[in-house]
Amino acid sequence: MAGRRMMLAAIVVLGVGTYLMRLGGVLLRERIELSDNLQRLLPMAATALLTALAATSTLMAGSGFAGVARPAGVMVGALLAWRKAPFVVVVVAAAAAAALLRLAGID
């Protein structure tokens, strides 16, 4: 019972903290002025962060290399996305490429 209360308290604290952080952004937007250089760099920082996250998720499984099938599937999906294929086609083709490679014994 005490474990459930602790879990519930942690969820409530995290929810309130998340809400306050988001509310802080809205309330402080008018009060904080960012330099032109910083405003130019912020979108690039977000892109770099998302790219690093995608690369890590693609190449790593736990603490080791994910194998060849997953990066190959991601490459198929990236190629189709670059060619502006519909999202469903991108996801299905990427999953199918990885699955076919694993079925062929290439992990």
Side-chain angles (χ1 to χ4, degrees):
M1 193 67 176
R4 287 186 177 185
R5 287 184 185 162
M6 288 292 290
M7 179 73 78
L8 185 61
I11 290 171
V12 168
V13 168
L14 285 173
V16 170
T18 301
Y19 179 77
L20 289 175
M21 286 181 66
R22 290 177 176 248
L23 182 63
V26 171
L27 294 177
L28 295 175
R29 183 180 347 168
E30 302 294 326
R31 296 182 182 179
I32 297 176
E33 272 194 46
L34 303 175
S35 68
D36 291 339
N37 285 339
L38 187 57
Q39 287 183 1
R40 187 175 49 85
L41 289 175
L42 281 176
M44 287 189 265
T47 303
L49 179 66
L50 290 175
T51 302
L53 182 63
T56 303
S57 298
T58 299
L59 298 174
M60 302 299 290
S63 61
F65 180 57
V68 175
R70 187 189 299 175
V74 171
M75 286 179 62
V76 168
L79 179 67
L80 290 173
W82 176 58
R83 300 300 300 166
K84 300 188 189 278
F87 180 71
V88 173
V89 173
V90 170
V91 171
V92 170
L100 287 173
L101 286 172
R102 288 180 178 145
L103 186 64
I106 301 170
D107 192 29

